[in-house]
Amino acid sequence: MATVYYEKDADLGLLKGKKIVIFGYGSQGHAHTLNLKDSGLDVSVCLRPESKAIDRAKAAGVNVLTNPDEAARSADVVMIVIPDEDQKKLWDDHIAPNLKKGAALFFAHGFNIHFKRVVPRPDLDCLLIAPKGPGHLVRSQYQSGVGVPCLIAVGQDASGKAKQIGLAYARGIGGARAGVIETTFKEETETDLFGEQSVLCGGVTALIQAGFETLVKAGYQPEVAYFECLHEVKLIVDLIYNGGIANMRYSISNTAEYGDYTRGPRLINETTKKEMAKILEEIQSGKFAKEYIEECESGMPQLKQFRKELSGSLIEKVGDQLRSMMPWLDGSVQKREQHTGEVISPALKTADLVKK
Ligand code: NDP
Ligand code: MG
């Protein structure tokens, strides 16, 4: 079992008097910044001069820097929370040449360190603090006096105190109130990629789509198929999230439970598990990372194509229409419009605003 650290193991004093610079004010960046600030630490945010997040950060009373060279030069502690695919360039062009000797370099996900896109100088501490939740939860839990559990990993310990500095940071963002689980950059990166590919994103959406298509092909109405194979996923996931698989099975009907035991393993069978093992191997060997980096470097042609195909698909069209009948649903219409550039009917948007 893993080693878990708590507030009693973490001395916030190690960060007192140090200049912390957070690069990025998105999901994670805003939460780290505001929590560290409320923990009484000296924290600034570095953003691009044209960033829309500047006004938001300033309105929250945050010190905003827009010169990344100067920001890196001034920092004792740097946290990089911009999108993973942009981190190498920011590191190479601005942070690496300017970061002072003996500084501590933090990440919230291990991708760039593990796949050696960022190679920190030997005089730097290098750490991972990865909250196990989205930024809004990291912020809201901190504000209500609790925290979101975090992972900690030490990639490089130049000062001899890297783990202690990492624990202080985890305490500053509230994670040590919940528990800080020790891991490695390798474990965090590989399991994160595997989880999102095989279960959370790839696995779940492929399962939903296959179920939907099977019903529609058999002549059932797409609206009904949508409810059965997509909409109700949340009800089941919430039960699993709150109390585990047994809790979900306790809450569903006996018919559903019997079908679950006897049919589930026919779908997720030895062939599926073999494919999962292959997906894991591609992550471990670096094959996936290489493929993804090439995709990013060539302007994301496949990602754009996949997004286009999905937005024109029956499940999305039916979904748009059905979600407009459920105005309590959260922001999905506008979000998709921003994402795909597609124009969605005003009626849907009005419905979407009702809940605000
Ligand atoms: P977001 O996409 O929410 O944050 C983007 C922020 O980075 C914005 O402030 C944006 O500012 C800035 N930014 C984007 N591109 C650049 C650039 N090229 N140079 C400088 N600033 C830039 O990121 P997340 O918070 O989702 O992810 C950050 C890190 O945290 C990643 O490593 C991710 O893996 C990790 N993580 C994310 C979790 C999550 O729940 N989202 C959970 C745990 C870890 P602007 O575009 O306005 O200039
Ligand atoms: Mg993850």
Side-chain angles (χ1 to χ4, degrees):
M1 294 294 274
T3 307
V4 185
Y5 300 99
Y6 297 96
E7 284 204 315
K8 64 176 169 46
D9 307 306
D11 175 11
L12 205 57
L14 283 168
L15 289 176
K16 289 261 158 77
K18 305 237 180 201
K19 286 212 169 310
I20 305 172
V21 177
I22 312 285
F23 285 83
Y25 196 75
S27 173
Q28 289 296 316
H30 95 282
H32 292 222
T33 304
L34 298 177
N35 293 2
L36 292 169
K37 185 168 167 286
D38 289 350
S39 292
L41 298 170
D42 176 356
V43 58
S44 304
V45 163
C46 184
L47 287 164
R48 296 182 281 200
E50 70 276 18
S51 171
K52 289 195 194 104
I54 292 179
D55 291 343
R56 243 186 317 125
K58 284 191 173 158
V62 172
N63 183 38
V64 178
L65 310 170
T66 51
N67 180 326
D69 297 327
E70 279 173 22
R73 225 172 283 136
S74 72
D76 300 298
V77 172
V78 159
M79 169 57 101
I80 304 183
V81 269
I82 72 166
D84 294 296
E85 60 271 22
D86 299 319
Q87 293 182 6
K88 179 182 162 54
K89 192 167 160 43
L90 175 70
W91 169 257
D92 287 344
D93 295 354
H94 301 289
I95 303 181
N98 292 299
L99 196 53
K100 67 170 78 146
K101 204 163 176 261
L105 174 64
F106 280 75
F107 293 86
H109 174 38
F111 189 94
N112 285 285
I113 291 291
H114 179 61
F115 292 115
K116 301 202 162 31
R117 310 238 313 139
V118 168
V119 180
R121 298 191 314 255
D123 61 280
L124 302 172
D125 286 344
C126 176
L127 288 131
L128 172 86
I129 294 291
K132 292 285 91 189
H136 70 85
L137 197 66
V138 174
R139 179 59 181 154
S140 64
Q141 290 303 298
Y142 179 92
Q143 286 177 303
S144 42
V146 281
V148 171
C150 291
L151 299 181
I152 182 170
V154 177
Q156 191 164 286
D157 184 6
S159 66
K161 289 190 293 198
K163 195 197 283 180
Q164 290 312 313
I165 295 169
L167 288 171
Y169 188 100
R171 181 171 181 155
I173 63 169
R177 294 171 180 169
V180 185
I181 301 164
E182 185 152 43
T183 183
T184 59
F185 272 84
K186 174 179 160 59
E187 182 175 71
E188 188 273 341
T189 307
E190 293 177 353
T191 55
D192 188 80
L193 291 172
F194 179 79
E196 65 202 20
Q197 293 175 19
S198 298
V199 183
L200 308 175
C201 309
V204 166
T205 57
L207 190 65
I208 290 172
Q209 275 172 305
F212 175 82
E213 283 162 19
T214 303
L215 286 179
V216 171
K217 195 171 161 207
Y220 297 98
Q221 299 186 80
E223 290 82 356
V224 178
Y226 180 92
F227 276 114
E228 294 306 329
C229 298
L230 187 150
H231 183 74
E232 290 182 19
V233 169
K234 174 166 166 52
L235 311 177
I236 296 300
V237 168
D238 282 351
L239 290 165
I240 298 176
Y241 179 80
N242 285 311
I245 293 173
N247 175 64
M248 180 276 284
R249 285 180 172 154
Y250 170 79
S251 302
I252 60 181
S253 68
N254 289 339
T255 326
E257 188 181 358
Y258 179 78
D260 168 345
Y261 291 126
T262 57
R263 268 49 181 181
R266 284 170 53 185
L267 292 171
I268 310 298
N269 53 27
E270 280 315 309
T271 313
T272 323
K273 287 186 202 164
K274 266 195 201 128
E275 199 59 35
M276 279 190 177
K278 234 161 104 186
I279 288 172
L280 181 58
E281 267 171 40
E282 289 173 8
I283 292 167
Q284 291 168 329
S285 69
K287 184 171 184 281
F288 172 79
K290 185 167 174 281
E291 179 185 320
Y292 177 60
I293 290 159
E294 280 168 12
E295 167 76 5
C296 292
E297 284 171 355
S298 52
M300 301 188 159
Q302 293 188 75
L303 263 180
K304 286 177 188 158
Q305 182 59 28
F306 289 135
R307 285 173 187 162
K308 206 169 129 205
E309 281 166 16
L310 178 67
S311 75
S313 70
L314 182 61
I315 195 166
E316 285 296 285
K317 289 204 173 117
V318 171
D320 269 350
Q321 187 210 338
L322 293 178
R323 288 191 296 272
S324 76
M325 293 154 68
M326 297 180 276
W328 62 87
L329 299 181
D330 187 23
S332 57
V333 174
Q334 275 98 345
K335 259 188 221 151
R336 247 200 46 212
E337 197 171 45
Q338 283 166 6
H339 209 58
T340 59
E342 171 194 9
V343 179
I344 295 170
S345 81
L348 287 179
K349 277 187 259 173
T350 316
D352 197 53
L353 286 173
V354 174
K355 67 189 175 258
K356 294 275 148 57

